[in-house]
């Protein structure tokens, strides 16, 4: 049963080792005798290890070659999926900004080492994600040194696979899709689920007005109508024995923060089954814009017409959409300052979709049915958060760096995300994706309350119950996305690093 306890380890600098495969700088007692060590400092590896010690896992063997901290969940012969956040290979303003946009390879390597220890030479590690459709998976694998990591494990006889879960990759020019390329996708295939009245959308009145990641909103709405709420998931995320989430600590334009819960968008098989916002304003049950005006009505109708034209006539329609987007920024405002597309604290759609995806990973069966809706029936789901260098401001794609200098570990994604929100200086109750995770419909994601979550940390100001830490000084004081500014910050939000 997942715990409300979690561990946080801090580093002295917001920096990653530079050379893949990111071997540890110390030959720890549990580290394989034949494996390489590095002459380069590796605080990231040490921080991952420290979270496992702070969590008091296998304490009787700590400091010996027999220490197996993940052995409680990972058994020999199993398949373990590692799910990093590989949303985009480049930052729009900073050539080195990918370091605070995607999960760093040194986090992946350190976690994989402790998985390999638990597998005892039998089983498989799979690193998999479905990045944003216009991203380049191969480039991210290169940046993160994933192939060097795979080679290091192969030399030790450990099966280590790298999988792009997407079925399609797009070419995007000036925010317009100009070409679509088919990909092999998940080698295990995909599974469709219908959560029906156990979906977070069951009592939501946005049916028929949902918008997702593609121009074809008719297809999206066909999956969320008439009492059905369907999702297509990668089979690998369901059939794996243990799921390990490796998110980045960042702010998010549609969800407030993106950590473990939001990171599960990357296990779906078709992003156009995922509602991202509801057309309209709160006045008419929507969350696309905060307020209605002639500008918002004109912008929506014009964009809708041009998107449909781009689908029907890819050549002419795409050209017109590109020209219109460029001109539209001058009339309607740039997204860095103007709130549109549900990119604000009033988004009442994205959190529902995200929590549904978490239910499916925790409770989904390979035949499309669901496990018994009891917490003890959940699949093992562990979390390691890359908070060494996080992202703040216009996340998830265009953030500024947040020197958070930490790694978090827990076996409860809701609890870990609540801790991340508090440590970032945000109010849990004002972030629906976290608040509602403690009150999920149909399939419980966690037990207890977020106030009861207990943080074990080597930095005393960050240690204790979240209910006590919520308004304590010494948090990170992260800057939210501009659409969330003034809506999520804690009463006491200043930094003491």
């Amino acid at each position: 049963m997942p715990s409300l306890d979690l561990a946080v380890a801090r580093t002295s600098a917001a920096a990653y080792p530079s050379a893949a495969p990111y071997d540890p700088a110390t030959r720890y007692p549990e580290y394989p005798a034949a494996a390489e060590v590095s002459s380069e400092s590796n605080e990231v590896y040490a921080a991952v290890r420290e979270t496992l010690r702070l969590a008091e896992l296998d304490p009787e063997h700590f400091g010996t070659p027999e220490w197996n901290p993940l052995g409680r969940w990972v058994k020999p012969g199993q398949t373990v999926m590692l799910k990093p956040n590989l949303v985009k290979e480049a930052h729009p303003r900073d050539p080195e900004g990918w370091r605070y946009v995607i999960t760093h390879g040194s986090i992946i390597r350190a976690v994989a080492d402790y998985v390999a220890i638990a597998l005892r030479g039998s089983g498989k590690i799979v690193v998999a994600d479905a990045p944003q459709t216009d991203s380049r998976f191969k480039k991210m694998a290169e940046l993160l040194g994933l192939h060097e990591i795979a080679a290091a494990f192969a030399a030790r006889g450990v099966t280590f696979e790298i999988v792009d879960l997407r079925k399609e990759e797009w070419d995007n020019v000036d925010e317009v899709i100009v070409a679509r390329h088919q990909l092999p996708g998940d080698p295990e295939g995909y599974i469709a689920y219908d959560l029906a009245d156990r979906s977070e959308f069951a009592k939501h009145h946005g049916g028929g007005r949902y918008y997702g990641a593609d121009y074809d909103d008719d297809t999206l709405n066909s999956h969320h109508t008439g009492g059905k709420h369907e999702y297509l998931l990668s089979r690998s995320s369901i059939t794996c024995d243990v799921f390990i989430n490796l998110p980045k600590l960042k702010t998010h334009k549609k969800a407030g923060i993106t950590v473990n819960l939001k990171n599960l968008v990357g296990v779906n098989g078709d992003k156009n089954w995922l509602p991202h916002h509801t057309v309209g304003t709160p006045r008419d049950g929507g969350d696309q814009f905060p307020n209605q005006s002639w500008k918002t009505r004109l912008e929506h109708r014009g964009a809708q017409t041009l998107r449909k034209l781009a689908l029907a006539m890819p050549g002419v329609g795409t050209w017109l959409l590109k020209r219109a987007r460029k001109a539209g920024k001058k009339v309607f405002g740039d997204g860095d300052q103007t709130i549109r597309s549900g990119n604000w604290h009033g988004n009442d759609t994205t959190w529902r979709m995200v929590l549904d995806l978490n239910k499916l990973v925790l409770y989904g069966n390979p035949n499309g049915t669901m496990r018994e809706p009891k917490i003890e029936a959940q699949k093992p789901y562990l979390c390691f958060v890359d908070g060494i260098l996080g992202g703040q401001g216009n996340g998830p794609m265009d953030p500024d760096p947040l020197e958070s200098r930490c790694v978090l570990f827990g076996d409860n994604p809701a609890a870990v995300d609540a801790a991340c929100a508090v440590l970032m200086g945000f109010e849990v109750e004002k972030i629906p994706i976290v608040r509602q995770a403690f009150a999920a419909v149909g399939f419980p994601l966690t037990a207890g309350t977020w106030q009861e979550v207990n943080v074990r940390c080597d930095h005393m100001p960050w240690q204790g119950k979240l209910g006590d830490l919520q308004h304590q000084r010494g948090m990170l004081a992260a800057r939210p996305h501009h659409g969330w500014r003034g809506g999520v910050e804690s009463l006491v939000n200043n930094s003491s690093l």
Side-chain angles (χ1 to χ4, degrees):
M1 184 168 173
S3 169
L4 289 178
D5 286 354
L6 60 101
V8 184
R10 303 212 64 198
T11 58
S12 64
Y16 298 98
S18 62
Y22 314 113
D23 296 319
T26 301
R27 188 171 292 284
Y28 299 110
E30 70 277 7
Y31 190 64
E36 299 289 332
V37 293
S38 176
S39 58
E40 181 185 16
S41 174
N42 191 339
E43 280 197 88
V44 175
Y45 198 107
V48 169
R49 183 177 188 266
E50 177 65 2
T51 64
L52 299 173
R53 185 194 69 80
L54 287 167
E56 298 181 355
L57 299 174
D58 194 20
E60 61 271 23
H61 292 118
F62 180 75
T64 75
E66 286 73 42
W67 190 45
N68 181 13
L70 297 185
R72 177 186 300 180
W73 302 280
V74 179
K75 309 300 179 185
Q78 291 186 330
T79 295
V80 179
M81 176 185 269
L82 305 186
K83 165 62 180 76
N85 182 341
L86 304 184
V87 62
K88 189 71 174 174
E89 73 279 2
H91 189 283
R93 295 176 288 117
D94 180 1
E96 294 297 311
W98 62 269
R99 297 175 185 273
Y100 45 93
V101 169
I102 59 178
T103 307
H104 197 270
S106 57
I107 292 281
I108 298 170
R109 163 60 195 277
V111 174
D113 260 358
Y114 286 98
V115 172
I117 287 171
L119 289 175
R120 303 291 194 196
S122 174
K124 181 167 66 174
I125 299 171
V126 179
V127 176
D129 195 12
Q132 184 163 294
T133 320
D134 62 354
S135 299
R136 299 294 181 257
F137 189 96
K138 290 181 179 179
K139 178 61 177 177
M140 283 184 278
E142 177 186 322
L143 287 170
L144 300 180
L146 294 186
H147 295 293
E148 289 88 341
I149 294 172
F153 279 105
R156 290 156 49 184
V158 178
T159 302
F160 186 99
E161 298 178 357
I162 305 164
V163 179
D164 183 350
L165 298 173
R166 298 174 301 172
K167 295 191 294 181
E168 198 173 65
E169 184 175 272
W170 300 341
D171 293 339
N172 191 320
V173 178
D174 296 331
E175 302 178 55
V176 174
I177 302 165
V178 297
R180 300 167 186 256
H181 311 284
Q182 296 301 306
L183 298 174
D186 186 347
E188 299 293 321
Y190 301 89
I191 308 170
Y193 294 91
D194 179 9
L195 282 173
D197 61 356
R198 290 181 171 179
S199 166
E200 297 297 319
F201 286 104
K203 294 185 178 180
H204 190 248
H205 302 293
R209 295 187 294 140
Y210 296 130
Y211 187 76
D214 202 350
Y215 301 156
D216 185 6
D217 50 2
D218 289 339
T219 295
L220 168 63
N221 283 285
S222 72
H223 293 292
H224 296 273
T225 186
K228 68 181 181 183
H229 295 289
E230 297 176 323
Y231 298 92
L232 188 70
L233 264 70
S234 68
R235 182 175 288 272
S236 292
S237 67
I238 300 299
T239 58
C240 66
D241 298 290
V242 180
F243 182 87
I244 301 183
N245 213 342
L246 306 176
K248 195 72 166 176
L249 183 69
K250 291 188 297 183
T251 54
H252 194 281
K253 59 187 177 182
K254 285 181 168 61
I257 64 171
T258 171
V259 201
N260 293 285
L261 296 165
K262 179 64 177 62
N263 199 36
L264 257 63
V265 168
V267 301
N268 82 93
D270 190 328
K271 285 186 168 62
N272 207 34
W273 293 33
L274 306 181
H276 284 57
H277 70 257
T278 303
V279 172
T281 69
R283 194 170 113 184
D284 58 11
D287 55 22
Q288 180 183 16
F289 302 103
N291 302 292
Q292 193 175 83
S293 68
W294 70 267
K295 274 191 174 184
T296 60
R297 288 193 295 269
L298 180 61
E299 179 180 349
H300 169 70
R301 289 171 185 168
Q304 186 179 48
T305 299
L306 287 167
R307 285 195 297 262
K308 289 185 181 298
L309 185 60
L311 282 171
M313 303 173 62
V316 175
T318 297
W319 179 82
L320 285 172
L321 185 55
K322 285 174 64 177
R323 295 287 297 267
R325 277 195 182 276
K326 190 172 182 179
K329 288 184 179 182
K330 297 178 181 178
V331 177
F332 304 115
D334 191 274
D336 288 345
Q337 291 83 35
T338 303
I339 297 175
R340 59 167 58 88
S341 304
N343 297 337
W344 67 299
H345 61 82
N347 188 311
D348 194 36
T349 306
T350 293
W351 69 264
R352 298 174 187 272
M353 170 267 289
V354 167
L355 297 192
D356 277 358
L357 292 174
N358 279 266
K359 294 174 192 176
L360 294 172
V361 167
L362 285 166
Y363 292 99
N365 289 318
N367 63 358
T369 63
M370 300 293 286
R371 304 183 189 197
E372 193 175 3
K374 295 181 178 179
I375 289 178
E376 53 268 28
Q378 292 180 355
K379 174 193 295 185
Y381 178 148
L382 309 183
C383 312
F384 289 88
V385 179
D386 177 4
I388 300 296
L389 184 59
Q392 62 180 333
N394 291 344
M397 310 297 292
D398 187 17
D400 294 322
L402 175 67
E403 295 192 357
S404 35
R405 305 197 331 257
C406 64
V407 173
L408 296 89
F409 165 76
D411 68 341
N412 183 327
V416 176
D417 280 18
C420 289
V422 170
L423 295 181
M424 293 173 84
F426 299 151
E427 293 272 3
V428 173
E429 289 295 322
K430 295 178 180 178
I431 303 178
I433 195 174
V434 182
R435 181 190 69 233
Q436 295 303 125
F438 288 83
V441 172
F443 293 93
L445 298 181
T446 183
T449 68
W450 67 263
Q451 292 92 341
E452 298 174 88
V453 172
N454 183 53
V455 180
R456 298 174 180 175
C457 186
D458 53 7
H459 179 58
M460 287 304 294
W462 289 10
Q463 184 161 283
K465 301 283 188 184
L466 288 190
D468 298 326
L469 296 177
Q470 174 73 90
H471 297 129
Q472 179 174 300
R473 294 182 183 276
M475 301 300 110
L476 291 170
R479 189 174 70 259
H481 181 272
H482 70 88
W484 291 71
R485 193 177 303 136
V488 293
E489 296 91 333
S490 174
L491 297 176
V492 177
N493 188 352
N494 54 53
S495 179
S496 177
L497 299 178

